[in-house]
Amino acid sequence: MLAVTMLLASTFINAQQNMVLTNKQQALVAIAAHEAKGNIEGLKQALNEGLDNGLTISEAKEALSQLYAYTGFPRSLNALGALQQVIKERTEAGLKTEVGREADPQPADYDALKQGTEVQTQLIGQPFTYTFAPQTDYYLKAHLFGDIFARNNLTFAEREMVTVSAISALPGCEPQLRSHVSGALNMGVKNYELACIPAVLAAKVGTEEAIRCTKAVNDVCGTNLPLSFDMPASVWTKGEPNTAYAQYFVGNSYLAPMEGGISNVTFEPRCRNNWHIHHGAVQVLICVSGRGWYQEWGKPAVPMTPGAIIAIPTEVKHWHGAARDSWFQHLTYHKDVQADASNEWLEPVTDEIYDALKY
């Protein structure tokens, strides 16, 4: 077991450096996780990257359709709408986009319940009946593992990679995640491929998702793969997930309130807040760790490194966030605050704007 653990750990570290998953597999991982998070901007980027690198429209559509069974119809339908928009934009731009083949039709005598029961047994490793909720047992067997998994424009292994990636983006679903890591092995996903998924999640989605996936792989496989996605050591506390304002951020941020009305905000790599305007107050940013960006509307972005101080005038549209390859921490507070001060959140900073920035 020790030798296996060391081999997997070595493979994992190599995966972080070289991304040994194929371009198609990497795309499916990122697409599934962004769909589960409801991150449409991130999803569109992942779709474009996938379609640029051999993923077909049929495969992308199949993955997003399958995910309704795991993340719900609202997220799945929103994601399919994003795919339609991406296809339209690529067509107008003259970009090559492979349609791919549709799944083969099932024979007239196809028995979804019978087929689904066999698929579920293969995935779990033994027969299973959910006696507590017979109707749910039927839906799982006949519809999910029968109707959906029978569609052969994605393999069983690809479908489980999609599922593992999506559930990795769903906090509180760790038991299901561990079950599907085990099921992925039973469906033909290789150990080294599972070990590579967190690296893709860390690079393309977020560290929380990568850590969650790593823990599940460790639990199921008995390995000790490193949880190496967290921020480098810093004298400034990371704080708690900034859930109250998550809707105004691309990526994950963390908040640590301090004395005197000062807050320490931590951004993971690629994380940035939306364009926004402070009415009736001047915001002050002080970079204390890592590298980041500050940009005012219509002006070039300004790099921020430790010691940089920026006073943001009232009524100025702007954003700030981390560099693509670095964590970023800044202290923030407000001064010259008027009685009617407020904060107006606007549209996200697009990947087109963000990815054009270079240190």
Side-chain angles (χ1 to χ4, degrees):
M1 178 60 74
L2 178 59
V4 173
T5 299
M6 293 176 65
L7 175 61
L8 279 176
S10 174
T11 302
F12 181 78
I13 293 169
N14 185 63
Q16 289 181 290
Q17 298 172 342
N18 300 313
M19 291 294 187
V20 299
L21 292 182
T22 67
N23 289 332
K24 175 181 171 181
Q25 290 171 323
Q26 291 182 48
L28 288 173
V29 167
I31 286 167
H34 282 303
E35 188 274 357
K37 292 183 66 173
N39 181 359
I40 297 300
E41 284 299 317
L43 173 63
K44 290 175 67 177
Q45 178 180 345
L47 286 168
N48 271 306
E49 289 180 357
L51 294 171
D52 284 340
N53 289 282
L55 186 73
T56 69
I57 293 174
S58 175
E59 291 165 336
K61 183 166 59 176
E62 189 68 25
L64 296 175
S65 297
Q66 172 188 318
L67 284 177
Y68 97 82
Y70 298 97
T71 65
F73 266 124
R75 291 203 189 282
S76 178
L77 291 173
N78 286 347
L80 287 166
L83 174 59
Q84 287 180 285
Q85 185 177 357
V86 165
I87 295 169
K88 180 176 181 293
E89 292 170 353
R90 292 178 66 87
T91 301
E92 292 174 348
L95 297 175
K96 181 180 179 181
T97 307
E98 294 291 339
V99 175
R101 70 174 187 85
E102 284 298 314
D104 295 331
Q106 300 300 333
D109 61 348
Y110 177 71
D111 187 334
L113 180 59
K114 180 177 181 295
Q115 173 66 17
T117 301
E118 293 175 359
V119 172
Q120 185 192 52
T121 299
Q122 179 182 345
L123 187 146
I124 296 175
Q126 62 185 9
F128 174 79
T129 300
Y130 193 23
T131 56
F132 177 72
Q135 69 279 19
T136 299
D137 184 69
Y138 176 81
Y139 300 150
L140 288 170
K141 287 182 169 71
H143 184 49
L144 175 57
F145 297 119
D147 292 331
I148 296 178
F149 267 60
R151 293 175 54 82
N152 61 359
N153 50 348
L154 285 180
T155 67
F156 287 170
E158 289 167 342
R159 290 186 182 278
E160 277 306 292
M161 290 187 73
V162 165
T163 303
V164 166
S165 303
I167 301 179
S168 293
L170 298 174
C173 295
E174 284 77 5
Q176 289 295 317
L177 178 56
R178 289 190 293 270
S179 294
H180 278 282
V181 168
S182 176
L185 292 170
N186 292 336
M187 289 304 199
V189 180
K190 307 301 183 185
N191 279 15
Y192 78 86
E193 291 173 326
L194 279 172
C196 292
I197 292 176
V200 179
L201 291 174
K204 299 178 181 292
V205 183
T207 55
E208 286 189 2
E209 295 77 10
I211 291 171
R212 196 176 292 124
C213 186
T214 302
K215 289 179 178 178
V217 172
N218 282 343
D219 288 346
V220 172
C221 299
T223 55
N224 189 28
L225 304 180
L227 300 174
S228 57
F229 306 106
D230 211 349
M231 60 181 289
S234 172
V235 298
W236 300 92
T237 182
K238 180 179 175 182
E240 299 298 324
N242 191 12
T243 53
Y245 291 88
Q247 62 183 310
Y248 305 122
F249 282 72
V250 175
N252 297 313
S253 66
Y254 304 83
L255 183 63
M258 304 172 68
E259 295 181 358
I262 299 174
S263 294
N264 176 27
V265 184
T266 300
F267 301 75
E268 70 179 13
R270 294 191 63 86
C271 177
R272 66 269 191 186
N273 50 31
N274 290 6
W275 292 99
H276 57 288
I277 300 172
H278 300 291
H279 301 294
V282 173
Q283 184 184 29
V284 179
L285 306 179
I286 305 172
C287 177
V288 294
S289 177
R291 294 183 295 113
W293 294 101
Y294 166 77
Q295 184 175 25
E296 295 181 5
W297 186 260
K299 295 183 179 181
V302 177
M304 294 191 71
T305 53
I309 302 175
I310 292 179
I312 306 167
T314 184
E315 310 305 325
V316 170
K317 183 176 179 179
H318 67 282
W319 69 270
H320 33 106
R324 65 168 60 86
D325 58 351
S326 174
W327 286 77
F328 173 58
Q329 289 182 302
H330 68 52
L331 305 183
T332 180
Y333 65 92
H334 294 83
K335 68 175 187 175
D336 302 334
V337 181
Q338 306 300 310
D340 59 348
S342 64
N343 191 42
E344 180 182 359
W345 289 103
L346 302 168
E347 71 275 15
V349 178
T350 65
D351 290 322
E352 180 180 7
I353 291 175
Y354 181 82
D355 289 335
L357 303 178
K358 298 185 185 300
Y359 262 88

